[in-house]
Amino acid sequence: MTGVPASAAGGPSGAHGAPGSAATSGAAPDSGSHGSGTHDGERPVRGGKIAAAAVNQASLWNVANLLTMLRLVLVPGFVALMLAGGGYDPAWRALAWAAFAIAMITDLFDGHLARTYNLVTDFGKIADPIADKAIMGAALICLSGLGDLPWWVTIVILAREIGITLMRFVVIRYGVIPASRGGKLKTLTQGVAVGMYVLALTGWLATLRFWVMAAAVVLTVVTGLDYVRQAIVLRRRGIAERAAALEETEA
């Protein structure tokens, strides 16, 4: 409609159509941004921005964020199951393991869904790492409190997890530190090890979980040091780039 020349329209009607076409073409980018077309001469709806804000606000309740919220809700439920019956009842420990397993599985899916289907929100960026640390921290503290896991293991793992999370927020002005393969392997190993300790295992399985936890501690320390190295490099690079940009501006 806007691509027809005024001369091709013929007669006065074509001449009158040209201004309308120009107005339509001017409104096209705006209408395209909302995903629907508008008629010639139609004025933009005053409530458009309010409607767009409502859509963005509704996106908080996407499936990725719902999984994160589920993981947060599971934390007190897990603690209650873990400590029920004095904390040593195999049946209650099995139920606690089920809650912990569900939390770990949702951790695998919510981030993937958010990135794949463009469901990333400010809430998810903040709540997801909090939910991860909350369920893992609750499990470690409960295990150490019950005497099943040495306190130094809990302190090392939690200090690393909280420290790296805070460090990511500090250096985010210079860039994002991506999750490494070692970090993903660490998360998987931690989940398996803690899950095995939550269950009331005996015999060779109890021996196996000791070695799995040992591997998790080693990966926790090694990957933590690697993230610190990446943060230092990222910060230095960011400072150098800002200094170079400032020199070009002054020049």
Side-chain angles (χ1 to χ4, degrees), residues 27-111:
D30 185 51
S31 62
S33 65
H34 293 293
S36 61
T38 58
H39 297 291
D40 293 354
E42 182 179 357
R43 298 179 63 183
V45 181
R46 292 182 62 184
K49 293 183 178 180
I50 298 176
V55 171
N56 291 336
Q57 190 175 19
S59 66
L60 170 68
W61 301 99
N62 62 61
V63 63
N65 285 346
L66 289 175
L67 289 175
T68 300
M69 294 176 192
L70 173 62
R71 199 155 69 255
L72 287 169
V73 171
L74 282 173
V75 174
F78 165 80
V79 173
L81 292 171
M82 190 72 182
L83 301 179
Y88 299 101
D89 189 310
W92 287 112
R93 293 285 284 259
L95 291 174
W97 176 87
F100 181 81
I102 292 173
M104 291 294 100
I105 292 172
T106 59
D107 181 31
L108 295 176
F109 282 104
D110 60 357

Side-chain angles (χ1 to χ4, degrees), residues 20-188:
S21 301
T24 305
S25 62
D30 185 51
S31 62
S33 65
H34 293 293
S36 61
T38 58
H39 297 291
D40 293 354
E42 182 179 357
R43 298 179 63 183
V45 181
R46 292 182 62 184
K49 293 183 178 180
I50 298 176
V55 171
N56 291 336
Q57 190 175 19
S59 66
L60 170 68
W61 301 99
N62 62 61
V63 63
N65 285 346
L66 289 175
L67 289 175
T68 300
M69 294 176 192
L70 173 62
R71 199 155 69 255
L72 287 169
V73 171
L74 282 173
V75 174
F78 165 80
V79 173
L81 292 171
M82 190 72 182
L83 301 179
Y88 299 101
D89 189 310
W92 287 112
R93 293 285 284 259
L95 291 174
W97 176 87
F100 181 81
I102 292 173
M104 291 294 100
I105 292 172
T106 59
D107 181 31
L108 295 176
F109 282 104
D110 60 357
H112 175 73
L113 289 172
R115 292 186 297 269
T116 302
Y117 298 102
N118 196 25
L119 301 176
V120 178
T121 63
D122 291 336
F123 170 82
K125 292 177 182 177
I126 298 174
D128 183 66
I130 292 176
D132 297 343
K133 306 306 178 287
I135 189 67
M136 183 60 68
L140 290 169
I141 292 173
C142 285
L143 289 171
S144 293
L146 293 171
D148 293 338
L149 189 69
W151 274 106
W152 70 266
V153 173
T154 294
I155 292 172
V156 167
I157 293 178
L158 291 185
R160 185 272 191 199
E161 298 299 330
I162 296 173
I164 295 300
T165 300
L166 293 176
M167 185 187 68
R168 285 177 182 271
F169 283 115
V170 170
V171 301
I172 198 170
R173 70 182 68 177
Y174 306 109
V176 176
I177 303 176
S180 64
R181 292 182 179 179
K184 295 178 181 178
L185 179 60
K186 177 270 306 177
T187 301
L188 176 61

